[in-house]
Amino acid sequence: AYSAGVLPTALAYMIGDSGLLYAPHNSKAEVTKVTYSGRQNVSCCTPVVNAGRPASAADPGFPVSIGVFKGNWVAAAKLYRTWATNQVWCAKGRKFERKDYPEGFAEIPFWYRVSGRSQSVSNCIGQLRANWPEMKVGIHWYCWHNSDFDVAYPEYFPAKHGVKETMAYGRSRGCLMMPYINGRIWDKELISFRHLAHRSVCRRESGMMYEERYHGRVNGVMCPATPLWSDVVVDIASRLVSELGSGAVYFDQVGESRAEPCFSESHPHPAGGGTWWRESY
């Protein structure tokens, strides 16, 4: 298994009430890969900025803290929290105190994950309202664009018949409608990949593409620093709001998948590691 590389990861090894805490103080979220083996071994790899470029490579820009502690995993989390709450991603304070965090989003106590055709989603909304007429509800809608999951990304439009009407129906019943899109990958079987996207895929040192397979389809991992991918994601999200009336958009994989060191010489970022992945997103 591997950790998400977009934000730092702390690890705690424990025997009884004794533990060893490994905590990268990666305040700018440099590209990092943490790998765990079946024998509880762990390795942390941080590709340097401009890796492989003579006279221009730089050391990783963050320290790592390793120390022992007494207690359980909560004690380890609190030790890491002492540092984490002073970093830029916590600088605005707690969400419920922030003025820029949507109040309506924060007040939803119940999210319902639905998938598939408009009629079934409308039926679910009706049933929810029959059971809980006053409760604030969020509708997290998968496969609104296609009957199969993880297929034909990022070609979500034109939307299927009934999607816009179901969005409107959900709003009329007081639900926040949040459709799913993937924020990282492009289906290699699409003509648009061969003619457009292949130049903006993340590349290994060998020049080969980073690829991921889901449900039998091979996808290219898109480089977030490229103008193409930025424009595509912004366009999809904008159309979901302006054309279909969604109240939010879910970008899958952006927060939970690792950053990939990209070595494409045509992309506007340093080769390999650095902070460009997080900054680009």
Side-chain angles (χ1 to χ4, degrees):
Y2 56 82
S3 78
V6 181
L7 288 177
T9 302
L11 305 172
Y13 286 92
M14 287 172 288
I15 299 177
D17 65 347
S18 300
L20 177 70
L21 179 66
Y22 167 87
H25 289 186
N26 188 358
S27 60
K28 295 183 179 179
E30 296 188 34
V31 176
T32 305
K33 177 182 177 182
V34 179
T35 304
Y36 315 92
S37 77
R39 299 182 62 83
Q40 298 188 13
N41 294 317
V42 62
S43 65
C44 179
C45 176
T46 302
V48 299
V49 179
N50 283 320
R53 304 295 189 267
S56 60
D59 292 333
F62 62 90
V64 174
S65 173
I66 301 176
V68 296
F69 67 94
K70 282 286 187 181
N72 56 15
W73 67 270
V74 176
K78 287 182 176 180
L79 287 170
Y80 183 65
R81 182 182 185 277
T82 302
W83 172 81
T85 51
N86 290 308
Q87 305 312 306
V88 64
W89 55 85
C90 291
K92 293 182 178 181
R94 293 177 290 186
K95 286 181 179 178
F96 73 89
E97 297 176 329
R98 285 169 49 177
K99 300 301 182 183
D100 63 341
Y101 194 84
E103 183 177 346
F105 200 89
E107 291 180 345
I108 295 174
F110 186 85
W111 280 92
Y112 196 72
R113 182 185 183 277
V114 296
S115 180
R117 297 185 179 277
S118 299
Q119 184 61 55
S120 64
V121 173
S122 296
N123 291 340
C124 287
I125 293 172
Q127 292 170 5
L128 284 169
R129 278 293 166 246
N131 292 323
W132 300 290
E134 303 298 330
M135 185 172 65
K136 294 184 178 180
V137 175
I139 303 295
H140 189 178
W141 190 358
Y142 284 68
C143 297
W144 57 272
H145 73 294
N146 196 301
S147 59
D148 296 320
F149 186 48
D150 284 341
V151 170
Y153 298 151
E155 295 186 1
Y156 300 92
F157 290 92
K160 293 188 297 184
H161 177 70
V163 171
K164 183 176 181 180
E165 291 76 11
T166 301
M167 293 281 193
Y169 174 65
R171 293 199 311 274
S172 73
R173 300 303 304 270
C175 299
L176 178 65
M177 304 297 291
M178 185 176 73
Y180 168 106
I181 70 170
N182 192 293
R184 287 180 66 251
I185 58 177
W186 199 306
D187 191 333
K188 291 188 67 177
E189 292 189 21
L190 299 176
I191 294 176
S192 58
F193 183 89
R194 297 195 298 271
H195 291 278
L196 181 65
H198 70 280
R199 293 186 293 272
S200 298
V201 178
C202 286
R203 301 278 177 173
R204 302 178 185 273
E205 286 184 272
S206 64
M208 300 294 291
M209 300 178 187
Y210 287 96
E211 297 178 343
E212 296 178 3
R213 182 182 295 271
Y214 301 100
H215 300 282
R217 304 278 282 240
V218 179
N219 300 269
V221 178
M222 302 305 295
C223 178
T226 59
L228 170 69
W229 187 238
S230 176
D231 290 346
V232 165
V233 174
V234 170
D235 179 66
I236 293 167
S238 299
R239 293 182 68 182
L240 280 168
V241 174
S242 62
E243 295 180 21
L244 300 184
S246 69
V249 181
Y250 175 69
F251 300 88
D252 194 22
Q253 294 194 341
V254 173
E256 58 87 19
S257 297
R258 70 172 181 237
E260 299 291 10
C262 181
F263 294 86
S264 174
E265 296 184 355
S266 65
H267 295 178
H269 60 74
T275 61
W276 59 268
W277 184 282
R278 175 191 57 80
E279 292 163 354
S280 298
Y281 268 115

